[in-house]
Amino acid sequence: MVLRQLVYFVFVLCVSLSSQNAFSQESLWTRQIGNDWPQFLGPDGDGKSDETGIIKDWSAGNLKLLWKTSTGEGYGMGSVSNGRFFHFGRMDGKANLICLNAETGEPIWNFSYPSNYRDMYGYDSGPRASPIIDQNRVYIYGVEGMLHCLNVTDGKLIWKLDVNKKFGVIQNFFGVASSPVIFEDKIIVMAGGSPADSNQIPAGRLDLVKPNGTGIIALDKLTGQLLYQTVDDLASYCSLKATRFDQSPVILAWMRGSLFGLNPQNGKPIFDFYWRARKLESVNASMPVVLPEDQIFISECYERGSVLLKRTDSGVTPIWTDQGRRDKALEAHWNTPVVDGDYLYGCSGRHSGPAELRCIHWKTGEVQWKQRGLARSSITWIDGHLVVIGELGDLVLVKANPDRYEEVTRYEPGQGENQIEFRQPCWAAPVISHGLLYVRGKSQMACFELIPNSSD
């Protein structure tokens, strides 16, 4: 036993030292000002950028297209670190992570593995989750449940784990869609496993599938070794959120049935709050929004709508809720609302036709304004504005104005190589890093210059 522990210690030490050496590569950025976007919804997982100086007139080619590329299948958005753009997609039956120069789109390396996932509802079979970059490692979590850790520099495999196989995960309606999160020495992953007898249940009957206490797993981020498993619930499509309450770290995990607050050190549940529609095929997908004074906002679009929770010594308690209301404050689908002061901006609606971009007063749930015309949309906040991509391909800039919908400008594609027309569905929130705007449509992605380069 002592010898085994010693061997493992030496192995971890070697991996750690090699990781540090591998991270000695210089950044590829030539743009000096800006921040990386290393995970889903940005540095803080809130869909916000603190960069400033954006171009507010996108007409006549003012929003310059720098490069575009084919992405293959998938719905997730890429991540950016040290001048590298990482996109996770699927082509020719293989899931693939491509690493590109973030400024030019030039390929650096490509990693792929076989993926035999088939969506039971006919949606495409590409990845839903975003890459996560941590120092010299990039992590990808495939729609079929494969988790890989790769070297940032050359894409070489460090470790991998078939999460679905190891923990008995039963394929849900739309596959794996929750992006993991890094906490200190751990990568924390939504697994949602089940006992062996659940394998006999017909596809789609999640009401009959039982959890086995592996809703959330934590792995050593350097080796993939299991550190703990926790939560007796099935997986949702909601990515994990790392935050703090009263200076203590908390992981928010909105599972199929309940929102859990977990101690990331040991996985111990701190609180849980049930919030799910009664409909079998309902999903929880929009991430929790962390608000001042230890408050949390969650929203779904199938029945219950939204609720504002307050963290207390004994758990969480509702401040206001949409439950029982005919007119809901906000019914978020897959998109995550963004907060600006006392207001939340987000898309409300399950279906394209009636979907609305809304502004609500998050303290009360009062709707400030509604705007149709963009179908279901996803947003990213920057410089007092909302970069909005409608699922039909409309790319617009809206001022974050709680008094009214104020469209500032929109991208109007022209002809030729220097333009792009986004094809539906456009379901991924835009990414912004070092003044560059990355937008994805069906099978294609584009990079624009949103903030002029200070060195030009």
Side-chain angles (χ1 to χ4, degrees):
M1 185 67 177
V2 174
L3 179 60
R4 183 182 301 174
Q5 292 176 337
L6 179 60
V7 171
Y8 176 71
F9 173 77
V10 172
F11 172 70
V12 172
L13 179 62
C14 291
V15 171
S16 178
L17 290 175
S18 64
S19 297
Q20 293 174 15
N21 292 334
F23 192 59
S24 61
Q25 80 276 4
E26 294 182 1
S27 169
L28 302 182
W29 285 118
T30 64
R31 302 174 66 92
Q32 301 301 314
I33 299 176
N35 299 311
D36 284 351
W37 196 276
Q39 63 177 351
F40 181 58
L41 296 187
D44 297 318
D46 58 5
K48 300 182 70 173
S49 168
D50 63 5
E51 299 183 27
T52 58
I54 63 173
I55 295 170
K56 299 174 185 175
D57 178 6
W58 296 354
S59 63
N62 289 326
L63 186 65
K64 183 180 178 182
L65 176 66
L66 300 181
W67 56 268
K68 55 186 176 181
T69 188
S70 299
T71 59
E73 293 181 284
Y75 298 114
M77 193 57 190
S79 302
V80 187
S81 177
N82 279 312
R84 297 166 175 83
F85 184 91
F86 300 87
H87 181 79
F88 190 26
R90 172 173 156 151
M91 293 184 180
D92 301 323
K94 292 183 178 181
N96 63 294
L97 178 67
I98 55 174
C99 176
L100 308 172
N101 183 297
E103 296 182 25
T104 67
E106 294 177 1
I108 299 174
W109 54 258
N110 177 68
F111 170 84
S112 64
Y113 65 91
S115 175
N116 59 4
Y117 173 83
R118 290 293 180 270
D119 193 272
M120 67 176 66
Y121 283 78
Y123 291 95
D124 86 28
S125 298
R128 283 83 163 108
S130 294
I132 305 99
I133 300 101
D134 178 63
Q135 296 184 344
N136 71 307
R137 296 167 301 277
V138 54
Y139 301 87
I140 49 175
Y141 193 23
V143 66
E144 72 297 302
M146 287 297 303
L147 179 65
H148 288 82
C149 173
L150 309 170
N151 186 289
V152 162
T153 307
D154 53 20
K156 290 184 178 179
L157 178 67
I158 299 174
W159 58 262
K160 64 180 179 179
L161 177 66
D162 188 334
V163 175
N164 283 13
K165 181 178 180 180
K166 182 173 180 62
F167 299 101
V169 179
I170 307 302
Q171 180 177 323
N172 56 26
F173 304 125
F174 311 113
V176 172
S178 175
S179 296
V181 69
I182 301 292
F183 176 79
E184 296 181 351
D185 62 337
K186 304 173 183 66
I187 179 168
I188 302 176
V189 182
M190 185 182 292
S194 298
D197 56 5
S198 286
N199 281 299
Q200 309 304 316
I201 294 172
R205 290 305 307 271
L206 288 187
D207 55 326
L208 303 178
V209 176
K210 305 298 182 184
N212 67 355
T214 62
I216 300 294
I217 60 172
L219 309 171
D220 184 309
K221 68 181 183 180
L222 299 181
T223 67
Q225 182 189 37
L226 179 65
L227 300 178
Y228 64 73
Q229 58 191 46
T230 185
V231 176
D232 204 38
D233 202 348
L234 300 179
S236 70
Y237 308 92
C238 176
S239 295
L240 300 179
K241 171 74 175 176
T243 188
R244 287 182 176 270
F245 291 122
D246 194 25
Q247 303 305 312
S248 298
V250 175
I251 298 295
L252 296 179
W254 193 11
M255 310 293 291
R256 175 160 172 78
S258 297
L259 171 69
F260 291 86
L262 307 173
N263 181 334
Q265 302 284 6
N266 54 25
K268 182 180 179 180
I270 303 169
F271 62 80
D272 67 270
F273 180 81
Y274 187 84
W275 196 254
R276 179 182 164 266
R278 291 168 291 184
K279 181 180 176 62
L280 169 62
E281 295 167 336
S282 67
V283 303
N284 294 328
S286 176
M287 277 181 65
V289 179
V290 177
L291 297 162
E293 300 179 4
D294 291 348
Q295 296 181 87
I296 309 165
F297 175 88
I298 57 175
S299 181
E300 63 86 55
C301 67
Y302 288 82
E303 178 188 57
R304 294 197 169 198
S306 303
V307 59
L308 178 67
L309 303 170
K310 170 71 174 178
R311 176 79 174 95
T312 67
D313 292 338
S314 59
V316 290
T317 186
I319 302 300
W320 62 262
T321 171
D322 270 337
Q323 189 168 3
R325 293 182 181 178
R326 181 176 179 180
D327 296 321
K328 315 292 189 187
L330 189 71
E331 296 174 284
H333 198 177
W334 66 80
N335 53 81
T336 299
V338 297
V339 60
D340 182 69
D342 291 340
Y343 302 95
L344 277 174
Y345 298 87
C347 180
S348 182
R350 179 182 172 192
H351 301 292
S352 298
E356 300 172 330
L357 187 64
R358 289 190 179 188
C359 172
I360 70 168
H361 192 280
W362 61 258
K363 293 182 179 180
T364 64
E366 181 181 358
V367 177
Q368 304 299 299
W369 52 256
K370 311 173 184 178
Q371 180 68 31
R372 289 192 181 183
L374 295 169
R376 294 172 297 187
S377 57
S378 300
I379 63 177
T380 298
W381 184 100
I382 181 172
D383 201 7
H385 292 75
L386 313 172
V387 179
V388 184
I389 179 70
E391 67 177 322
L392 304 182
D394 298 290
L395 179 62
V396 301
L397 184 69
V398 177
K399 188 173 182 180
N401 182 352
D403 296 325
R404 62 185 177 89
Y405 174 80
E406 186 177 347
E407 184 174 308
V408 176
T409 189
R410 65 171 51 215
Y411 177 70
E412 297 179 357
Q415 302 295 321
E417 288 296 318
N418 293 325
Q419 299 294 323
I420 186 171
E421 185 169 351
F422 294 105
R423 294 182 293 149
Q424 62 175 304
C426 302
W427 287 349
V431 164
I432 300 170
S433 180
H434 285 255
L436 303 182
L437 169 65
Y438 304 89
V439 182
R440 177 177 184 173
K442 182 179 181 180
S443 303
Q444 58 185 346
M445 195 202 67
C447 172
F448 301 93
E449 185 175 54
L450 182 62
I451 299 173
N453 193 355
S454 60
S455 63
D456 289 345

